[in-house]
């Protein structure tokens, strides 16, 4: 399903506002992910040796910003392009890294919940159920693209070419 015109407008409007403070919103996203799934910190080399979320960790800040920006930008262009558009090499890399780190499809639901809560907090009074639904649809399409690449990577890994 492609976003409706109204959903696209809601996603783009909220992304424009969130772009003004990516570090704040991206750290909130990762804080929420790790609150919901504390074991996920073991998937990140820069978080393994700590019992808390180090807000000032430069590697966490950089990674969180990259994830948040990629997610939001892919959502913002979804209707225009008709599909999730990420460079093939980036999508293949995402699939490979997610497989290597042991990410499973249910993990994407944790991230989705954290993303929606992050956007809701960022939007304040501008938040609506319509905005929630627009972001949920956009995220689901991005997650499906990454999961598809993970499945392709896993199939190649389990059947190496001789």
């Amino acid at each position: 399903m492609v976003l409706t015109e109204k959903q696209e407008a809601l996603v783009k409007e909220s992304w424009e506002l969130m772009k003004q403070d990516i570090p704040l919103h991206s750290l909130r996203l990762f804080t929420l992910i790790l609150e919901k799934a504390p074991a996920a910190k073991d998937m990140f080399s820069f978080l393994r040796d700590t019992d808390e979320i180090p807000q000032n960790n430069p590697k966490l800040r950089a990674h969180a910003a990259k994830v948040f920006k990629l997610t939001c930008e892919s959502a913002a262009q979804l209707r225009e392009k008709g599909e999730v558009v990420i460079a093939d090499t980036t999508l293949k890399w995402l699939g490979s890294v997610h497989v290597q780190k042991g990410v499973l499809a249910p993990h994407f639901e944790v991230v989705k919940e954290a993303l929606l809560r992050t956007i809701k907090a960022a939007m304040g009074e501008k938040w609506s159920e319509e905005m929630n639904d627009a972001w949920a649809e956009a995220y689901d399409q991005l997650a499906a693209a990454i999961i598809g690449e993970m499945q392709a990577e896993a199939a190649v890994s389990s059947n190496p070419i001789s």
Side-chain angles (χ1 to χ4, degrees):
M1 178 181 149
V2 175
L3 296 181
T4 66
E5 206 170 306
K6 184 168 186 172
Q7 286 176 316
E8 176 189 43
L10 289 167
V11 166
K12 285 186 173 183
E13 172 191 345
S14 52
W15 174 226
E16 286 303 315
L17 291 170
M18 288 186 293
K19 272 200 278 191
Q20 296 170 20
D21 199 348
I22 289 173
L24 171 73
H25 303 308
S26 61
L27 279 175
R28 179 180 289 135
L29 172 67
F30 266 76
T31 299
L32 292 169
I33 290 168
L34 295 171
E35 282 175 4
K36 176 88 174 172
K41 80 177 183 65
D42 292 336
M43 294 179 174
F44 303 97
S45 60
F46 50 85
L47 294 178
R48 281 191 197 122
D49 298 328
T50 182
D51 290 333
E52 58 187 52
I53 300 166
Q55 301 295 326
N56 294 321
N57 180 318
K59 289 182 179 179
L60 171 62
R61 294 178 77 81
H63 182 76
K66 187 166 51 173
V67 168
F68 188 71
K69 188 175 178 190
L70 174 90
T71 301
C72 293
E73 286 182 347
S74 67
Q77 56 75 44
L78 193 55
R79 179 174 166 79
E80 180 183 321
K81 304 292 184 187
E83 62 183 355
V84 170
V85 177
I86 300 173
D88 279 349
T89 55
T90 302
L91 191 56
K92 286 185 186 323
W93 177 81
L94 286 170
S96 176
V97 166
H98 282 79
V99 167
Q100 289 171 17
K101 298 294 182 182
V103 174
L104 303 172
H107 294 138
F108 285 90
E109 285 303 311
V110 171
V111 175
K112 178 180 176 180
E113 180 184 321
L115 177 68
L116 295 174
R117 288 178 58 197
T118 298
I119 297 167
K120 182 177 183 177
M123 291 298 97
E125 291 182 12
K126 292 185 179 208
W127 179 255
S128 66
E129 281 305 311
E130 284 180 299
M131 186 178 286
N132 180 82
D133 293 347
W135 275 102
E137 177 61 33
Y139 178 81
D140 286 346
Q141 290 192 37
L142 174 61
I146 296 171
I147 290 168
E149 203 54 52
M150 288 170 61
Q151 291 168 338
E153 173 70 20
V156 169
S157 297
S158 64
N159 296 316
I161 299 172
S162 306

